[in-house]
Amino acid sequence: MARDDTEVERLREEARGLAPELTAQTPVVRLSVERRLDVAYDLLERGQLDAGLDQLEALLREYPQSSEASRLLAQALVRKGTLQTQRADYAGARQSYARAVELYAQLSPCDGTRCDRAELELARDGGRQPLREAPGQRKRLLA
């Protein structure tokens, strides 16, 4: 049975609104921010985009000052927007790209330490350019 991603996303948003504390529960063992970033990255790399996004959103709610979480979330949202565009879900893609731009704006200035201008342009461009690794940053997510 084919999965209707638009319906899945609508139901996920409804669930977040009804019980945000249950969306991505904190594990019993408290993991470091770095380890949680690694878990989210692994999920994204295995193609579990929604699970990775949920982990990153939860991490960012808990640690809003984490520039690495913001950057990885923005990159994942660009990836999601690209997939949504390929499925002709233009409204969903617009939301994903808009959130990515919002996150990149919080990382400003895009000077290569917290944010890379090419990544910001990618989000503004709607994912039509390949991602580049920012100088001095470890590689996190490639489209």
Side-chain angles (χ1 to χ4, degrees):
M1 181 166 113
R3 191 174 87 189
D4 181 358
D5 291 312
T6 305
E7 181 67 7
V8 168
E9 186 60 31
R10 186 189 68 73
L11 292 171
R12 186 180 308 278
E13 287 300 317
E14 181 180 330
R16 284 183 189 129
L18 294 172
E21 70 279 0
L22 297 178
T23 302
Q25 294 182 355
T26 305
V28 175
V29 176
R30 194 94 172 132
L31 299 176
S32 70
V33 172
E34 187 63 31
R35 180 66 186 120
R36 289 174 68 187
L37 282 168
D38 289 340
V39 168
Y41 177 74
D42 288 343
L43 288 167
L44 296 170
E45 285 301 300
R46 287 189 307 210
Q48 297 177 11
L49 188 58
D50 288 333
L53 286 166
D54 285 346
Q55 289 296 316
L56 289 167
E57 289 284 4
L59 182 60
L60 206 52
R61 276 193 303 275
E62 209 170 316
Y63 299 97
Q65 75 285 359
S66 173
S67 60
E68 283 220 26
S70 293
R71 183 172 184 206
L72 184 57
L73 178 57
Q75 290 176 333
L77 285 165
V78 169
R79 179 184 280 185
K80 181 178 182 176
T82 301
L83 293 172
Q84 290 169 314
T85 299
Q86 291 169 353
R87 292 190 310 259
D89 177 10
Y90 302 114
R94 243 187 325 276
Q95 288 178 334
S96 295
Y97 291 134
R99 175 80 168 114
V101 169
E102 175 186 309
L103 289 164
Y104 280 126
Q106 293 170 5
L107 294 172
S108 289
C110 284
D111 59 5
T113 57
R114 293 171 45 94
C115 175
D116 181 72
R117 181 155 300 285
E119 291 176 2
L120 176 59
E121 292 303 319
L122 175 67
R124 284 187 186 151
D125 234 12
R128 290 184 292 272
Q129 302 170 12
L131 282 177
R132 290 189 308 129
E133 183 177 355
Q137 294 281 338
R138 70 184 149 129
K139 190 178 280 184
R140 280 309 218 167
L141 180 66
L142 295 176

